């Protein structure tokens, strides 16, 4: 039986053969420099030691042995005439219709889009925009990810700035995140040989990766070898989840009315509707979103268009081409009853709401209540119930918030919003209340509390980027969140009650990281809404050493709540702080299709 070492040696040899075409076929202006740099770095087990000379494969000839780079029982046949016609120059097609590289990986729509852009930019592939979209659609549908596979990496496609920790292998995570998030890795599936070739591609295009992450010295296994071993086992091409999903995958039937609820950092809760109707293609949709910001009362209407890839991955844009355009990245649930995700914009995708769409099937739907919390003892407090198809003329008795909470009267209302006067008993138990109205319900619609015990700044840490002169600014919104310590009176325990956004004044304090720190004077300012506005990109001649306007500060929220809490606030002001890192612009992104103009690098 062939030993594991022999298998690895053979795989490494196949990787060298396959990699021989990667750069010569690209026609890169930087190709010669990359080849020279690649020849100067030490050999690493599992990746090619030296690229093959450019004349080895004249005229972009296809790999003669690349079909050996994948297990003979794996790989997906490519039946798209467009892909065959445009890609076969470099990706050889075997007797079963499998094409080298392409047939042996699965990705999100964003992953396939990145591949197509790279082929156009580096390998002179000729595709017009419509053809490029069709290629991405075909591959995302035929070689995508199952919902269970995407779930751990949704933060990547939804463009969330989070402190993600890859628990499965921290060493492999450290190897990968030197240049990009782990989300880019865990949203792909490949054969072992494809993982090896991916590492080879990294090394060819970005030779410094050897010194940044791929090797650590010594004669033992290198980080790149450990990464290949782990990733090929954790994220193989074929999985039970994909087999099950692809067998029953279809375009979801989404036409109709959907109740919208969401939360936008810096602005609070939103409620409304989204009308969805079929568009030109079988997986294309048009949408009209109408919603209200609960705190300010501002109303918004947006029109959008979208494609649903792989039977569940909604990708769209609303108000496309306008100054207020939002990208929409959402996930359709298996039962086609709920759609969740994020709408976003900004130079660094930092603005926009988290959203949940709930299908409206004729009866009433309760989307939410504002304010989301009332204090025990409150009398005739105004509460607004948001939803769809709410009862036209309900009586106070038709709305049930549960023990200790009374609806005194219905002030006004229509099918989308009811305005109520609500009182809470002084001895009402602390905790959540479910709302029942017109045959519909909403769990935890209203929180009853006995006073705000503490607040927190959300997020607990954030990142902004200076800009405005040569690069765009990266903003950071913050919110002040109120908490009741719950029946046990102890903070940070399971019975704590989250009360939602509370009014706060905002300020900054120095985060002392160096001697005589002066960051607070230069990094920027906090707006009254909790949105941090960074300073202009430097260098700044008014700062010691003409440094950039970067640094660390504390973002401080001070509660400025209702009169009922005035005595408590006077005794012990409620304050909280979060850590803000103000850093440099994103000078370089590894997106070769965007080009590098003379004189500087741009994102």
């Amino acid at each position: 039986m062939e030993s594991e070492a022999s298998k690895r040696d053979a795989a490494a040899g196949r990787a060298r053969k396959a990699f021989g075409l990667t750069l010569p076929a690209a026609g890169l202006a930087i190709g010669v420099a990359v080849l020279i740099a690649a020849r100067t770095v030490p050999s690493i087990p599992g990746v090619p030691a030296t690229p093959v000379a450019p004349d080895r494969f004249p005229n972009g000839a296809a790999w003669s042995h690349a079909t050996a780079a994948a297990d003979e029982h794996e790989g997906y046949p490519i039946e798209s005439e467009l892909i065959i016609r445009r890609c076969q120059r470099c990706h050889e097609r075997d007797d079963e219709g499998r094409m080298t590289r392409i047939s042996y990986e699965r990705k999100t729509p964003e992953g396939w889009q990145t591949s197509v852009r790279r082929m156009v930019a580096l390998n002179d592939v000729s595709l017009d925009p419509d053809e490029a979209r069709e290629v991405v659609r075909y591959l995302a549908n035929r070689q995508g990810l199952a919902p269970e596979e995407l779930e751990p990496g949704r933060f990547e496609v939804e463009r969330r700035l989070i402190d993600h920790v890859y628990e499965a292998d921290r060493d492999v995570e450290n190897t990968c995140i030197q240049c990009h998030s782990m989300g880019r890795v865990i949203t792909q599936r490949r054969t072992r040989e494809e993982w090896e070739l991916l590492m080879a591609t990294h090394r060819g295009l970005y030779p410094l990766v050897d010194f940044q992450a791929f090797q650590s010295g010594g004669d033992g296994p290198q980080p790149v070898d450990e990464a290949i071993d782990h990733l090929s086992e954790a994220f193989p091409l074929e999985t039970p989840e994909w087999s099950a999903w692809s067998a029953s995958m279809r375009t979801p039937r989404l036409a109709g009315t959907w109740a919208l609820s969401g939360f936008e950092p810096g602005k609070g809760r939103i409620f409304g509707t989204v009308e969805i109707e079929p568009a030109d293609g079988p997986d294309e949709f048009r949408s009209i979103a109408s919603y209200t910001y609960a705190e300010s009362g501002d109303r918004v209407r947006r029109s959008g268009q979208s494609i649903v890839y792989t039977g569940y991955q909604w990708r769209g844009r609303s108000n496309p081409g306008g100054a207020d355009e939002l990208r929409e990245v959402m996930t359709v649930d298996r039962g086609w009853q709920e759609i969740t995700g994020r709408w976003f914009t900004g130079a660094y995708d930092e603005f926009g709401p988290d959203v949940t769409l709930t299908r409206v099937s004729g009866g009433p739907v309760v989307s939410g209540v504002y304010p989301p919390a009332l204090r025990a003892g409150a009398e005739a407090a105004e509460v607004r119930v948001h939803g769809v198809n709410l009862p036209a003329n309900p009586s106070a008795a038709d709305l049930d918030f549960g023990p200790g909470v009374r609806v005194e009267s219905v002030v006004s209302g229509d099918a989308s919003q009811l305005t109520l006067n609500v009182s809470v008993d002084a001895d009402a138990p602390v905790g959540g209340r479910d709302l029942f109205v017109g045959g519909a319900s909403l769990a935890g619609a209203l929180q009853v509390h006995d006073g705000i015990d503490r607040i927190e700044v959300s997020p607990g840490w954030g990142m902004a980027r200076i800009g405005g002169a040569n690069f765009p600014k990266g903003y950071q919104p913050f919110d002040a969140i109120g908490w009741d310590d719950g029946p046990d009176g102890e903070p940070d325990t399971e019975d704590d009650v989250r009360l939602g956004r509370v009014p706060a004044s905002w300020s900054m304090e120095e985060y002392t990281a160096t001697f005589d720190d002066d960051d607070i004077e230069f990094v920027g300012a906090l707006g009254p809404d909790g949105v941090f506005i960074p300073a202009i990109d430097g260098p700044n001649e008014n700062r010691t050493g003409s440094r950039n306007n970067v640094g660390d500060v504390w973002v401080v929220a001070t509660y400025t709540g209702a009169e009922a809490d005035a005595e408590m606030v006077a005794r012990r002001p409620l304050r909280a702080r979060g850590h803000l890192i103000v850093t440099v612009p994103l000078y370089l992104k590894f997106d070769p299709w965007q080009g590098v103009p003379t004189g500087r690098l741009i994102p």
Side-chain angles (χ1 to χ4, degrees):
M1 181 177 293
E2 185 180 13
S3 68
E4 190 64 27
S6 297
K7 291 180 180 178
R8 291 186 183 178
D9 289 343
R14 292 194 294 269
R16 293 188 182 94
K17 292 178 181 178
F19 186 66
L21 181 64
T22 304
L23 289 176
L28 283 173
I30 61 171
V32 174
V34 172
L35 287 171
I36 293 173
R39 285 193 175 97
T40 65
V41 295
S43 175
I44 301 176
V47 296
T50 304
V52 178
D55 59 359
R56 175 76 176 275
F57 294 94
N59 302 319
W63 303 335
S64 59
H65 301 289
T67 52
D71 188 291
E72 63 180 355
H73 302 297
E74 293 187 300
Y76 303 100
I78 302 299
E79 298 171 347
S80 164
E81 291 299 325
L82 173 61
I83 296 177
I84 295 171
R85 184 172 69 254
R86 297 299 193 191
C87 306
Q88 193 167 226
R89 182 188 69 171
C90 297
H91 298 275
E92 187 178 32
R93 192 164 184 258
D94 67 14
D95 293 339
E96 297 183 25
R98 298 175 301 188
M99 299 183 72
T100 55
R101 301 302 303 269
I102 301 173
S103 291
Y104 304 101
E105 51 192 289
R106 296 190 284 113
K107 304 178 187 179
T108 62
E110 290 80 5
W112 285 117
Q113 181 187 53
T114 297
S115 296
V116 170
R117 283 175 164 174
R118 186 168 56 246
M119 295 301 101
V120 170
L122 304 186
N123 292 4
D124 295 326
V125 173
S126 176
L127 284 174
D128 63 40
D130 288 338
E131 289 178 325
R133 283 189 284 269
E134 185 57 36
V135 169
V136 170
R137 184 181 309 199
Y138 176 90
L139 293 172
N141 289 337
R142 298 286 291 268
Q143 294 168 228
L145 299 181
E148 300 85 354
E149 294 176 314
L150 177 61
E151 189 61 33
R154 278 182 64 176
F155 72 91
E156 174 74 12
V157 296
E158 292 175 3
R159 307 299 296 163
R160 298 181 184 274
L161 181 63
I162 66 170
D163 190 12
H164 177 264
V165 176
Y166 182 64
E167 299 286 0
D169 194 314
R170 300 301 300 276
D171 290 336
V172 170
E173 178 187 44
N174 188 61
T175 299
C176 299
I177 65 174
Q178 302 304 310
C179 297
H180 53 71
S181 82
M182 198 63 186
R184 186 175 297 189
V185 181
I186 65 179
T187 52
Q188 301 185 40
R189 298 296 184 273
R190 298 170 179 263
T191 61
R192 179 184 178 85
E193 289 77 12
E194 265 303 312
W195 283 115
E196 291 171 341
L197 288 169
L198 179 65
M199 303 302 176
T201 302
H202 279 61
R203 199 176 181 215
L205 291 177
Y206 314 114
L208 290 180
V209 76
D210 280 347
F211 306 104
Q212 292 172 324
F214 274 16
Q215 63 176 342
S216 59
D219 297 328
Q222 299 296 306
V224 66
D225 300 301
E226 295 173 353
I228 291 171
D229 287 342
H230 174 75
L231 297 176
S232 60
E233 180 178 349
F235 306 111
L237 180 67
E238 296 181 356
T239 65
E241 293 81 8
W242 177 245
S243 296
W245 178 254
S246 59
S248 64
M249 183 179 68
R250 72 207 78 170
T251 299
R253 301 177 184 179
L254 304 179
T257 301
W258 296 72
L260 165 66
S261 62
F263 180 88
E264 181 167 349
K267 294 186 176 181
R269 308 183 78 184
I270 62 173
F271 300 107
T273 61
V274 176
E275 301 287 344
I276 301 176
E277 63 179 26
D280 299 334
D283 52 2
E284 298 179 8
F285 298 91
R286 287 186 291 268
S287 60
I288 298 292
S290 303
Y291 55 90
T292 300
Y293 287 92
E295 292 183 27
S296 66
D298 293 342
R299 296 179 180 273
V300 177
R301 182 177 175 86
R302 313 184 64 84
S303 61
Q305 54 195 41
S306 63
I307 297 176
V308 176
Y309 297 93
T310 332
Y312 73 97
Q313 298 184 81
W314 175 292
R315 301 293 186 267
R317 293 182 184 271
S318 61
N319 292 0
D324 59 346
E325 176 181 284
L326 290 178
R327 287 181 58 193
E328 300 176 348
V329 177
M330 300 189 291
T331 296
V332 181
D333 84 320
R334 285 177 175 267
W336 304 345
Q337 299 301 306
E338 186 174 85
I339 308 174
T340 58
R342 184 168 180 253
W343 301 349
F344 52 88
T345 188
Y348 297 94
D349 306 320
E350 66 268 45
F351 292 115
D354 296 331
V355 297
T356 296
L357 309 186
T358 303
R359 185 187 288 277
V360 178
S361 300
V365 174
V366 181
S367 301
V369 170
Y370 186 82
L374 290 179
R375 184 170 181 167
E379 296 182 359
E382 182 177 287
V383 172
R384 297 191 298 275
V385 177
H386 296 266
V388 180
N389 294 338
L390 297 175
N393 297 295
S395 66
D398 292 332
L399 293 106
D400 184 358
F401 280 101
V405 181
R406 301 184 311 280
V407 177
E408 305 287 3
S409 63
V410 179
V411 178
S412 62
D414 55 32
S416 62
Q417 178 180 305
L418 303 175
T419 301
L420 319 174
N421 281 332
V422 176
S423 296
V424 184
D425 293 346
D427 59 353
V430 171
R433 300 294 195 275
D434 301 342
L435 170 61
F436 292 85
V437 55
S441 64
L442 180 63
L446 182 71
Q447 305 296 319
V448 174
H449 65 97
D450 58 5
I452 298 177
D453 294 311
R454 57 189 169 87
I455 65 172
E456 70 175 15
V457 171
S458 177
W461 70 270
M463 185 172 69
R465 294 180 183 272
I466 56 175
N470 297 306
F471 297 88
K473 290 188 176 186
Y475 300 83
Q476 176 63 65
F478 289 95
D479 294 295
I481 306 298
W483 287 87
D484 184 307
D485 288 340
D488 67 1
E490 297 293 331
D492 300 315
T493 57
E494 291 184 358
D495 68 348
D496 292 0
V497 180
R498 191 178 193 274
L499 307 179
R501 263 172 56 103
V502 296
S505 62
W506 294 93
S507 59
M508 295 191 302
E509 294 177 354
E510 190 65 71
Y511 183 101
T512 305
T514 63
F515 180 74
D516 198 23
D517 214 340
D518 62 354
D519 293 345
I520 196 171
E521 300 178 28
F522 298 100
V523 294
L526 270 170
D529 55 358
V531 176
F532 177 77
I533 305 169
I536 198 166
D537 39 337
N540 186 348
E541 62 181 12
N542 296 318
R543 194 171 191 186
T544 302
S546 294
R547 291 176 291 155
N548 267 305
N549 294 317
V550 300
D552 296 61
V553 294
W554 290 110
V555 170
V556 181
T558 303
Y559 177 60
T560 57
E563 293 181 4
D565 298 314
E567 182 179 348
M568 176 196 68
V569 171
R571 293 195 313 269
R572 179 176 61 85
L574 295 180
R575 300 173 74 251
R577 63 185 188 179
H579 182 199
L580 172 64
I581 302 169
V582 184
T583 188
V584 297
L586 192 57
Y587 290 115
L588 177 63
K589 292 173 68 176
F590 293 102
D591 295 341
W593 55 84
Q594 293 186 343
V596 181
T598 302
R600 63 180 176 89
L601 301 175
I602 65 169

